[in-house]
Amino acid sequence: MLHRINKPLFLIAALLFGFKTYILYRFVFNLSIENPLQELILLINPFATALIIFTFAVWMKPERQKKFVKYTTLIGTIILYVNLAYYRNFTDFITLPTLLQFKNFGDLGASAAYLVKPGDIFLFLDIILVFYLAKKNENTIVSFKQKGKMAISALSLSILVANFVLAEIERPNLFLRSFDREYLVKNIGLFNYHIYDVVIHSKTKVQRVMADGSEIEEIEHYISENASSNEKSDLSGIAEGKNVIFITAESLQTFVLDKEVNGEPITPFLNKLIEESYYFENFYHQTNLGKTSDSEFITANSLYPLPNASVFFTHAQNEYNAMPKIIKEHGYTSAVFHGNNKSFWNRDVMYDALGFDHFFSERFYHVSEENKVGDWGLGDKSFFEQSIKYLENLPQPFYTNFITLTNHHPFTMDQKYASIDKLETNSRTLNGYVQTVRYMDEAIEQFFEQLKQAGLYEESIIVIAGDHYGISDYHNRAMGMFLEKDITPYDNVQLQRVPMIIHIPDHEETKTFDKIAGQVDLKPTILSLLGIEPEDDITFGTDLFTNDRKPYVAFRNGDFVTENYVFTNDTCYDRLTGEILEDTSGCDEYKDQVLLELEYSDRIIYGDLFRFYNFSDNEETNNDE
Ligand code: GP9
Ligand code: MN
């Protein structure tokens, strides 16, 4: 019967390969499908990819064509299978660097029996058919005229392009942000993901190879002249030996803090907490495409994020002198808690590079219909509640980062969880934002209670910081309605302020600072509170409790703010009044320096320069001088 088949071999092979890949994506890999568009993309993609690859066959002579189809099927299947085995072990997809680190595959070998399942045999059935047809059935070998070849190739390509367009609609900036391997595989398929991954990592490798240790001296010199403090703050060491509980408040912006909706405060708990804490009201986020992950990166390293990629994704193989690593040398254990997929933002890989000891990701939490809130899964209230048992079991002192999730775009949630009204502007996003912010405020309040009950509160300092904006300038009109003013480029910069609260239980003094500050300042500030002040650290921020500080906060696009000015859109504004200034000298003074500083930070990352630098005297740091 098989010899009667007269359909083109390349097409049969492509369809079979597409089909088995689809079955694998849909039923074997545990990819979460959230909407019909994702479902559609997942269906189109395996066929689109298989078609484009197998279509190359039409350009080949019969013998080559047979070989090409046979070996493409075989190699494609092997790639699928290796990924499957890896996925069964790590619930993640292979990346080039992990492939090159053979230790991962050692782990695989150890559990081979568990990784291979009887049903896997189905993955290989099409190979038998394709090999048989190639050998025995000449009817399946095609030979088209030039036009036919072109038409078939164009058709295959357009299906793939359609796939990518749909993917871009589903996840804008998917390629630029590359935020999650699972999303990439879901949207562009495993094979295109591998190509993408190889391109990114090769680029990174080349830049790394080109770098040598000489550049770091220049940067070190720049930092000691411009970005380090010669002053010791009065609060240095005030929290020595205490736990640090850092809360990354998703999408929380400062503008909501003192606002009300129909007479109800949006953040009653945070407002009260600010009265009992140190609070920085002019604290700016400095993130870029990497969003939350950029905020984590800046916080841990006091370096800038990258201009056109998420550094968590592109440079997770670098050496860093991150806060978790430094404090480990001072007896600290570190952990991150986050109720989302561990590979999101490549966290599972990057956290190792930053020196975190533990990562409690989604799989450590019980996520059910009851505790899901909004679009992102586990609600913050349940997240904190379920985290306490892990926190209680961490050796103290610990440094922890709790990354909240509910207050995330699109800021929707079931109204049964809402405690205040929505806004009534022309933006649904902004309208819902106040409700999800309130939910987070309540979740943090409950967490404080839980910390007290667990006996951890007194022994800890709690730092709360917004990670980045939640409402983009796309919503300026609605924002203008809410804030009752026209939103100018100056306001857009001012809207990049996120709350930053340092709460030290039992510490009498409280204060709201109006000086400018940014995420790069977090690392030196927190370390100083703990009494850990490494002399040889390379950071672009300074301890916020000193006055000998760099006079500006730089943004990734070269904009910046100083105490007196806001520089954006090539315009110099008065920071306090928002007036456009004729005399731009106050801004001109720093323009070049800001760009230079950003470039230095990039050079550290692109060249992996810290591998040439010896941070070893952390241990010897003496705080008694
Ligand atoms: C995802 C969460 C949100 O795990 O941290 O990421 P974001 O989109 O804000 O970068
Ligand atoms: Mn975020």
Side-chain angles (χ1 to χ4, degrees):
M1 190 190 93
L2 290 179
H3 61 266
R4 272 201 255 135
I5 293 179
N6 59 0
K7 299 280 178 293
L9 180 64
F10 86 91
L11 194 62
I12 296 172
L15 292 178
L16 287 174
F17 197 84
F19 180 70
K20 79 177 174 191
T21 314
Y22 173 70
I23 298 293
L24 211 60
Y25 288 172
R26 187 68 186 80
F27 302 105
V28 184
F29 290 128
N30 190 12
L31 305 177
S32 54
I33 314 255
E34 286 138 24
N35 57 49
L37 182 57
Q38 285 190 358
E39 187 83 67
L40 179 70
I41 295 171
L42 201 71
L43 176 66
I44 296 177
N45 173 270
F47 293 99
T49 310
L51 270 177
I52 195 89
I53 297 172
F54 282 96
T55 298
F56 280 104
V58 302
W59 298 90
M60 297 171 188
K61 300 220 166 71
E63 272 319 300
R64 281 203 131 218
Q65 199 177 110
K66 285 182 198 167
K67 267 200 191 139
F68 175 77
V69 176
K70 278 191 324 193
Y71 292 113
T72 305
T73 308
L74 185 67
I75 295 168
T77 305
I78 293 172
I79 296 177
L80 279 181
Y81 199 66
V82 171
N83 269 286
L84 177 62
Y86 188 86
Y87 189 87
R88 281 181 179 146
N89 209 39
F90 301 108
T91 355
D92 201 347
F93 299 96
I94 300 171
T95 72
L96 189 63
T98 47
L99 193 66
L100 299 174
Q101 281 171 1
F102 288 99
K103 90 179 198 327
N104 286 313
F105 288 87
D107 292 351
L108 272 186
S111 46
Y114 153 81
L115 300 172
V116 178
K117 305 211 162 152
D120 295 351
I121 196 81
F122 288 106
L123 258 183
F124 296 89
L125 292 184
D126 62 330
I127 303 180
I128 301 171
L129 180 70
V130 167
F131 272 65
Y132 177 85
L133 290 177
K135 194 167 168 118
K136 301 271 184 201
N137 188 339
E138 286 297 325
N139 295 338
T140 60
I141 304 307
V142 291
S143 149
F144 293 110
K145 298 230 168 64
Q146 194 73 2
K147 266 196 183 155
K149 293 176 188 174
M150 299 278 262
I152 292 172
S153 305
L155 183 69
S156 306
L157 189 65
S158 41
I159 300 175
L160 191 69
V161 170
N163 171 193
F164 285 4
V165 170
L166 286 178
E168 190 60 29
I169 294 173
E170 216 291 300
R171 285 282 147 179
N173 286 336
L174 180 73
F175 293 101
L176 216 51
R177 297 181 59 200
S178 67
F179 36 76
D180 186 7
R181 273 186 287 286
E182 186 180 314
Y183 272 116
L184 278 167
V185 171
K186 226 161 44 176
N187 282 296
I188 62 169
L190 197 57
F191 296 95
N192 297 312
Y193 154 71
H194 282 316
I195 295 172
Y196 176 82
D197 180 60
V198 167
V199 171
I200 288 216
H201 287 292
S202 314
K203 223 172 103 190
T204 310
K205 266 261 145 16
V206 172
Q207 284 166 330
R208 188 177 186 274
V209 168
M210 308 283 280
D212 64 51
S214 62
E215 289 160 285
I216 196 82
E217 270 170 43
E218 184 186 332
I219 298 173
E220 195 188 5
H221 179 73
Y222 169 84
I223 299 240
S224 68
E225 292 287 302
N226 299 287
S228 56
S229 185
N230 292 316
E231 217 181 273
K232 210 176 174 83
S233 92
D234 296 343
L235 294 181
S236 167
I238 188 116
E240 194 174 332
K242 293 235 176 180
N243 303 316
V244 179
I245 296 174
F246 189 96
I247 301 176
T248 300
E250 177 58 49
S251 300
L252 183 62
Q253 282 173 259
T254 302
F255 79 89
V256 282
L257 251 50
D258 54 0
K259 294 280 178 303
E260 296 186 342
V261 183
N262 297 335
E264 270 290 314
I266 300 171
T267 55
F269 176 70
L270 292 179
N271 295 353
K272 192 168 104 280
L273 187 70
I274 283 169
E275 302 291 316
E276 301 159 7
S277 311
Y278 291 115
Y279 173 58
F280 291 82
E281 62 183 10
N282 288 308
F283 182 89
Y284 296 80
H285 84 82
Q286 295 167 296
T287 65
N288 198 26
L289 298 169
K291 305 294 288 290
T292 310
S293 69
D294 277 356
S295 87
E296 295 175 63
F297 181 79
I298 310 168
T299 305
N301 297 298
S302 189
L303 298 174
Y304 294 99
L306 291 181
N308 48 19
S310 133
V311 54
F312 258 46
F313 248 95
T314 55
H315 291 81
Q317 256 55 44
N318 274 17
E319 245 176 67
Y320 294 105
N321 191 39
M323 192 147 51
K325 188 169 153 195
I326 296 174
I327 60 178
K328 198 200 290 276
E329 290 166 24
H330 293 262
Y332 275 77
T333 303
S334 59
V336 182
F337 297 76
H338 185 42
N340 198 9
N341 180 5
K342 67 177 179 164
S343 75
F344 205 101
W345 288 129
N346 196 30
R347 286 184 170 108
D348 50 347
V349 180
M350 185 55 150
Y351 285 163
D352 277 344
L354 299 180
F356 278 108
D357 296 315
H358 306 283
F359 178 21
F360 298 94
S361 65
E362 186 181 13
R363 66 196 173 94
F364 287 83
Y365 295 86
H366 174 67
V367 186
S368 65
E369 279 315 308
E370 281 72 56
N371 63 25
K372 272 193 193 164
V373 184
D375 279 26
W376 282 74
L378 184 64
D380 293 341
K381 289 184 186 174
S382 178
F383 162 64
F384 282 126
E385 196 181 316
Q386 293 188 54
S387 299
I388 286 285
K389 58 179 179 296
Y390 299 124
L391 194 59
E392 278 177 318
N393 284 315
L394 280 186
Q396 296 189 38
F398 53 67
Y399 174 90
T400 51
N401 180 11
F402 287 83
I403 307 174
T404 63
L405 195 54
T406 309
N407 183 45
H408 193 289
H409 190 269
F411 311 111
T412 46
M413 61 179 195
D414 195 319
Q415 288 306 298
K416 72 177 181 227
Y417 298 115
S419 323
I420 55 170
D421 296 335
K422 286 187 180 178
L423 290 179
E424 285 173 10
T425 69
N426 69 351
S427 154
R428 254 196 293 169
T429 309
L430 180 60
N431 296 350
Y433 180 68
V434 294
Q435 288 189 332
T436 47
V437 167
R438 166 59 94 87
Y439 176 89
M440 175 164 62
D441 183 78
E442 290 166 1
I444 296 176
E445 179 171 21
Q446 288 182 9
F447 185 45
F448 269 63
E449 279 316 307
Q450 289 150 358
L451 289 173
K452 285 177 187 164
Q453 278 163 22
L456 291 166
Y457 174 75
E458 307 279 325
E459 293 312 309
S460 309
I461 63 165
I462 301 158
V463 182
I464 303 175
D467 58 351
H468 50 75
Y469 68 79
I471 307 297
S472 69
D473 52 12
Y474 179 75
H475 303 276
N476 272 355
R477 253 192 56 199
M479 187 66 92
M481 286 163 83
F482 180 53
L483 300 179
E484 296 175 346
K485 67 193 298 240
D486 283 338
I487 306 295
T488 63
Y490 159 83
D491 293 301
N492 277 327
V493 171
Q494 291 298 74
L495 282 166
Q496 304 314 309
R497 283 176 295 182
V498 296
M500 205 283 272
I501 304 168
I502 298 179
H503 183 71
I504 309 177
D506 281 345
H507 182 68
E508 297 274 293
E509 196 189 287
T510 62
K511 188 170 175 179
T512 291
F513 291 92
D514 61 5
K515 58 176 150 187
I516 54 160
Q519 286 167 324
V520 288
D521 298 316
L522 285 167
K523 177 187 175 190
T525 306
I526 295 172
L527 287 179
S528 147
L529 290 172
L530 299 180
I532 302 170
E533 284 164 281
E535 273 176 13
D536 62 350
D537 202 3
I538 292 186
T539 67
F540 289 99
T542 39
D543 180 356
L544 288 174
F545 293 107
T546 64
N547 291 317
D548 179 23
R549 298 183 52 230
K550 210 172 55 183
Y552 54 82
V553 173
F555 301 111
R556 187 56 256 194
N557 60 2
D559 289 355
F560 57 89
V561 298
T562 70
E563 291 298 341
N564 299 322
Y565 309 105
V566 165
F567 178 72
T568 186
N569 244 3
D570 252 325
T571 312
C572 194
Y573 294 86
D574 183 308
R575 192 175 67 88
L576 299 177
T577 64
E579 240 179 283
I580 295 184
L581 299 171
E582 294 279 315
D583 173 8
T584 59
S585 55
C587 290
D588 294 342
E589 197 182 341
Y590 299 114
K591 271 189 201 165
D592 292 341
Q593 192 178 333
V594 165
L595 294 177
L596 180 70
E597 185 165 316
L598 291 164
E599 194 194 314
Y600 278 149
S601 176
D602 293 346
R603 275 204 234 161
I604 292 174
I605 298 166
Y606 290 141
D608 189 8
L609 296 187
F610 284 175
R611 72 199 145 121
F612 301 116
Y613 195 75
N614 187 2
F615 290 105
S616 61
D617 59 350
N618 289 347
E619 199 111 48
E620 276 105 59
T621 310
N622 178 359
N623 294 308
D624 308 327
E625 21 163 61

